[in-house]
Amino acid sequence: HPQSNGAESFRTIRAALSLTHKADRLRLVTITSTIPAEGKSLVATNLAIVMAQTGLRTLLVDADMRRPSMHKVFQLHSPVGLSAYLMDKANGLEELIHTTEVPNLDVVCCGATPQSPSELVGSRRMNQFLQEVGKRYDRVVLDCPPVSAVSDPLVMSSMADGVLFITKFNKIRREHARKTIQRIQDAGIHI
């Protein structure tokens, strides 16, 4: 529903990102939160859509290798995804990238959930993936797991240009969110 209040809220997030200091350098953004079920995937998906609607070639990546969800959102059932690429079991990016019905928006699903996601996320291959997609797309949005659960989002965010921190109103305690934000900032990540 492109004219809905919800859609306008995601356009507001897009505008806020484009108005930040050094916005032109915010090409690769990770999205995380404190705990599961705060709306990371919802925000990642809709933010990627509104970015693509401005004409920017946008890639949405399901980087949550423990609880992936993008394959459900976009109804994609490919066993080859980011995890296969990181384990060197994919022939190239073309095998991972799915075109969506939204113009300018492509998606990379997680694929099979790996045994050791933390090691894969921090690998040389992940860095290579981010560099390759950074050359092909104007914007890359990575949907990451929550910070309090695992180290993956901190590792991925350190390779990104910035992190968008999501918190659900009345879902978690303010102090818990503050500690999570402090953890992100202590890692030197632009939030």
Side-chain angles (χ1 to χ4, degrees), residues 133-188:
V133 297
K135 291 175 188 171
R136 291 184 185 204
Y137 292 91
D138 301 314
R139 297 291 182 271
V140 179
V141 178
L142 279 81
D143 181 24
C144 297
V147 173
S148 66
V150 292
S151 63
D152 303 5
L154 292 177
V155 172
M156 282 184 270
S157 295
S158 69
M159 293 185 245
D161 301 322
V163 61
L164 184 62
F165 180 74
I166 306 300
T167 187
K168 188 171 186 176
F169 184 70
N170 279 339
K171 170 93 176 171
I172 63 164
R173 299 174 80 163
R174 191 178 309 232
E175 190 55 35
H176 196 183
R178 278 194 190 116
K179 286 180 182 177
T180 304
I181 290 169
Q182 189 61 54
R183 224 175 130 196
I184 293 168
Q185 290 173 330
D186 288 347

Side-chain angles (χ1 to χ4, degrees), residues 2 5 24 35-36 45 58 66 72-73 77-78 99 101 108 113-114 117-118 122 126 136 140-141 159 163 191:
N5 288 340
D24 55 322
I35 60 173
T45 302
T58 306
R66 289 172 172 83
K72 294 175 192 169
V73 172
H77 301 287
S78 174
T99 304
E101 60 188 40
V108 170
T113 52
S118 294
M126 181 64 163
R136 291 184 185 204
V140 179
V141 178
M159 293 185 245
V163 61
I191 189 166

Side-chain angles (χ1 to χ4, degrees), residues 9 14-15 18 41 45 55-56 60-61 90 119-120 124 126 128:
S9 295
R14 178 191 66 205
S18 69
S41 298
T45 302
L56 295 170
L60 174 60
V61 180
E119 287 74 17
L120 291 177
R124 172 194 55 80
M126 181 64 163
Q128 181 182 350

